[in-house]
């Protein structure tokens, strides 16, 4: 079998503008809703123009000891200044930031992935203790 390529890049979000920043509590209660916010470019802003922007963010959860990963949400950003007059001629730009809530019965890892239209796929993760 052919080896898989590294699909996702990762780095420290403080020095790399493409890395999703996951903000949520590190400890939550079993079965209680908790908030997750995912942004990009918290320290170094990522451009948001017709030519260069974030297309989507996806959020996943991997419960400890389980074989499969769950997709919690997928968020598309579809306005980047394009208009009938041409690129960057509208004043409408979706910002690459999402908020969601979820609940789970097990500890695990939240993963966030993002697609930049010219710099590819990026990911980050955060462990959550559920008790
Ligand atoms: Fe980019």
């Amino acid at each position: 079998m052919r080896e898989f390529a590294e699909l996702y890049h990762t780095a420290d979000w403080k020095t790399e503008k493409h890395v999703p920043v996951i903000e949520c509590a590190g400890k939550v209660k079993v079965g209680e809703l908790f908030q997750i916010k995912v942004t990009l470019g918290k320290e170094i802003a990522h451009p948001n123009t017709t030519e260069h922007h974030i297309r989507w963010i996806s959020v996943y959860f991997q419960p400890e000891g389980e074989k499969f990963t769950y997709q919690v949400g997928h968020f598309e950003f579809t306005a980047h200044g394009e208009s009938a007059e041409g690129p960057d001629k509208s004043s409408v730009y979706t910002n690459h930031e999402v908020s969601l809530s979820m609940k789970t019965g097990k500890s695990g890892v939240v993963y966030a992935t993002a697609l930049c239209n010219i710099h590819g796929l990026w990911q980050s993760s955060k462990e959550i203790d559920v008790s």
Side-chain angles (χ1 to χ4, degrees):
M1 192 172 103
R2 207 174 147 195
E3 274 187 42
F4 285 102
E6 284 289 331
L7 284 179
Y8 292 94
H9 299 276
T10 197
D12 185 344
W13 62 264
K14 286 178 185 150
T15 55
E16 169 52 61
K17 65 179 177 278
H18 289 95
V19 179
V21 182
I22 302 169
E23 293 176 75
C24 67
K27 268 181 169 247
V28 299
K29 292 199 166 118
V30 171
E32 271 192 18
L33 287 172
F34 62 96
Q35 300 290 321
I36 300 175
K37 183 170 140 185
V38 183
T39 57
L40 268 99
K42 200 177 170 198
E43 203 72 30
I44 307 158
H46 187 279
N48 189 8
T49 64
T50 306
E51 295 80 11
H52 186 191
H53 55 261
I54 302 300
R55 288 263 169 89
W56 52 255
I57 290 175
S58 253
V59 180
Y60 304 88
F61 186 69
Q62 174 71 57
E64 219 169 64
E66 288 195 21
K67 186 174 177 184
F68 298 112
T69 306
Y70 296 90
Q71 186 179 43
V72 181
H74 180 75
F75 309 89
E76 300 224 20
F77 310 121
T78 49
H80 302 284
E82 57 273 68
S83 84
E85 275 72 57
D88 290 309
K89 296 291 189 211
S90 92
S91 59
V92 181
Y93 295 84
T94 323
N95 186 39
H96 37 262
E97 173 182 317
V98 296
S99 290
L100 67 140
S101 61
M102 64 168 280
K103 62 182 181 178
T104 174
K106 288 183 182 173
S107 296
V109 182
V110 172
Y111 292 92
T113 60
L115 176 67
C116 168
N117 69 322
I118 57 177
H119 297 116
L121 293 159
W122 292 80
Q123 73 172 354
S124 63
S125 64
K126 181 173 176 165
E127 283 187 39
I128 298 194
D129 179 36
V130 180
S131 55

